[in-house]
Amino acid sequence: MVQSELVDLEKKLRDAQLRPTKQRLALAQLLFSDGNRHITAERLHSDAMEANVAISLATIYNNLHQFTAAGLLREVVVDSSSSYFDTNIAPRHLFFHEQSGTLKDIAKDDLKVDNIPPLPEGTEISSVDVIVRVSSTRR
Amino acid sequence: MVQSELVDLEKKLRDAQLRPTKQRLALAQLLFSDGNRHITAERLHSDAMEANVAISLATIYNNLHQFTAAGLLREVVVDSSSSYFDTNIAPRHLFFHEQSGTLKDIAKDDLKVDNIPPLPEGTEISSVDVIVRVSSTRR
DNA sequence: CAATAAATTAGAATTCTTCTAAACAAGAAA
DNA sequence: TTTCTTGTTTAGAAGAATTCTAATTTATTG
Ligand SMILES: [Mn+2]
Ligand SMILES: [Mn+2]
Ligand SMILES: [Zn+2]
Ligand SMILES: [Zn+2]
């Protein structure tokens, strides 16, 4: 890991009003240093253990939620068994591979959603989420 | 409840290779006799209690899954805290009201999804799910 | 009627997630 | 620096949704 990278991550945290603690910085590094990630709490915890970062699962959950509240992450609901967090906070859609539980972004402009019918009375759109569920071709 | 309605439900169950037990028939009635429903296991259990149907929560779960496997229901993932089951098994999209947890169908043809990019290698589409998340207008 | 297989159930177990409350660390003030 | 305040981390308990187990009951078949 490069020094300037750590400085950038520290700024990212400070800008979000989050103190750059040892654990937080380590998580930020795991999450944001290597392209776009889609990850569960348990998986992130394993990643941290592998990277020899001492951090409890409670702290993983705390930080995933704090990062989400700060707009650094986005929570994705695709699977009833556990929550995913996406480091891509821009509007986008998703492929979800049913066998592996893998997610892949679809750039917003690569897919068109049209003709949304009138919304229920007294509501406004919060987001339009498209999930293209794919399955391994049999044979 | 009309007699012919019960006969229809019994046939529906038999056609799905499911024995029309007292509990199953009662659930089928709660689920399919009154238009389109979007319901959680706990909610269905409450409904059953209110209707004086003696049935355990385990049986609710067993049957929701059996109905789903038989194509009589469809499971919907919109909320990380619990699973919803939809009595509408035709292709459709959904409005999800974030405050109330309420779902509302969007007829398939009322909304257009176009330009789905190339699928990940070795996969085929299983479904394209659009969830329009709406929120009560503030003020 | 048996006999067989399917279904139901109470309660225990599992899994994911959140909470509690005490210890600890970071930043601000002195 | 040291002190103070507040934010953060943590182990373990608690909670909630769901599944499992194993015994009992019910439906269907012969
Ligand atoms: Mn991306
Ligand atoms: Mn759960
Ligand atoms: Zn993504
Ligand atoms: Zn529906």
Side-chain angles (χ1 to χ4, degrees), chain A residues 57-105:
Chain A
L57 191 54
T59 299
I60 301 270
Y61 277 104
N62 287 343
N63 278 287
L64 285 174
H65 289 136
Q66 286 164 169
F67 285 10
T68 300
L72 267 37
L73 284 180
R74 166 206 288 241
E75 195 166 353
V76 177
V77 180
V78 277
D79 181 353
S80 57
S81 70
S82 63
S83 285
Y84 286 71
F85 292 84
D86 190 344
T87 58
N88 181 4
I89 54 176
R92 51 85 187 102
H93 301 294
L94 293 165
F95 283 117
F96 178 67
H97 188 258
E98 300 187 315
Q99 280 82 38
S100 65
T102 297
L103 288 163
K104 182 163 177 252
D105 287 355

Side-chain angles (χ1 to χ4, degrees), chain B residues 30-82:
Chain B
L30 290 170
L31 288 168
F32 304 120
S33 287
D34 191 34
N36 195 200
R37 298 202 69 182
H38 305 95
I39 199 169
T40 63
E42 279 295 356
R43 185 70 213 294
L44 182 56
H45 192 227
S46 304
D47 282 11
M49 296 302 96
E50 260 177 59
N52 287 313
V53 175
I55 186 171
S56 73
L57 192 54
T59 298
I60 301 269
Y61 276 104
N62 288 343
N63 278 287
L64 285 174
H65 288 136
Q66 287 165 168
F67 286 11
T68 300
L72 268 37
L73 284 180
R74 166 205 289 239
E75 195 167 352
V76 177
V77 180
V78 278
D79 182 353
S80 56
S81 71
S82 63

Side-chain angles (χ1 to χ4, degrees), chain A residues 26-131:
Chain A
L27 289 184
Q29 203 166 176
L30 290 169
L31 289 168
F32 305 119
S33 287
D34 193 33
N36 196 198
R37 298 204 68 182
H38 305 97
I39 199 168
T40 63
E42 279 294 356
R43 184 73 213 291
L44 183 55
H45 192 226
S46 305
D47 283 11
M49 296 301 95
E50 261 177 59
N52 288 314
V53 175
I55 186 170
S56 73
L57 191 54
T59 299
I60 301 270
Y61 277 104
N62 287 343
N63 278 287
L64 285 174
H65 289 136
Q66 286 164 169
F67 285 10
T68 300
L72 267 37
L73 284 180
R74 166 206 288 241
E75 195 166 353
V76 177
V77 180
V78 277
D79 181 353
S80 57
S81 70
S82 63
S83 285
Y84 286 71
F85 292 84
D86 190 344
T87 58
N88 181 4
I89 54 176
R92 51 85 187 102
H93 301 294
L94 293 165
F95 283 117
F96 178 67
H97 188 258
E98 300 187 315
Q99 280 82 38
S100 65
T102 297
L103 288 163
K104 182 163 177 252
D105 287 355
I106 299 172
K108 177 171 158 290
D109 295 332
D110 281 0
L111 183 155
K112 276 270 151 305
V113 177
D114 274 321
N115 280 17
I116 294 177
L119 308 188
E121 201 58 39
T123 68
E124 59 188 5
I125 290 182
S126 150
S127 69
V128 177
D129 299 345
V130 180
I131 297 168

Side-chain angles (χ1 to χ4, degrees), chain B:
Chain B
M1 77 198 123
V2 197
Q3 174 59 27
S4 68
E5 187 190 301
L6 274 185
V7 173
D8 289 353
L9 288 174
E10 181 167 340
K11 173 161 171 25
K12 186 166 190 160
L13 292 177
R14 283 195 197 286
D15 288 353
Q17 324 259 33
L18 296 169
R19 293 180 178 177
T21 63
K22 189 156 65 71
Q23 291 84 348
R24 204 121 70 186
L25 220 37
L27 289 185
Q29 202 165 178
L30 290 170
L31 288 168
F32 304 120
S33 287
D34 191 34
N36 195 200
R37 298 202 69 182
H38 305 95
I39 199 169
T40 63
E42 279 295 356
R43 185 70 213 294
L44 182 56
H45 192 227
S46 304
D47 282 11
M49 296 302 96
E50 260 177 59
N52 287 313
V53 175
I55 186 171
S56 73
L57 192 54
T59 298
I60 301 269
Y61 276 104
N62 288 343
N63 278 287
L64 285 174
H65 288 136
Q66 287 165 168
F67 286 11
T68 300
L72 268 37
L73 284 180
R74 166 205 289 239
E75 195 167 352
V76 177
V77 180
V78 278
D79 182 353
S80 56
S81 71
S82 63
S83 284
Y84 285 72
F85 292 84
D86 191 344
T87 58
N88 180 5
I89 55 176
R92 51 85 188 101
H93 301 293
L94 294 165
F95 283 116
F96 178 67
H97 187 257
E98 301 187 312
Q99 280 83 38
S100 66
T102 297
L103 288 163
K104 183 163 176 249
D105 286 355
I106 299 172
K108 177 171 158 294
D109 295 332
D110 280 1
L111 182 153
K112 277 269 152 304
V113 177
D114 274 321
N115 282 15
I116 294 177
L119 308 187
E121 201 58 39
T123 68
E124 60 189 4
I125 290 181
S126 152
S127 69
V128 177
D129 300 344
V130 180
I131 298 167
V132 180
R133 291 174 193 271
V134 301
S135 185
S136 294
T137 310
R138 54 207 170 331
R139 173 160 49 81

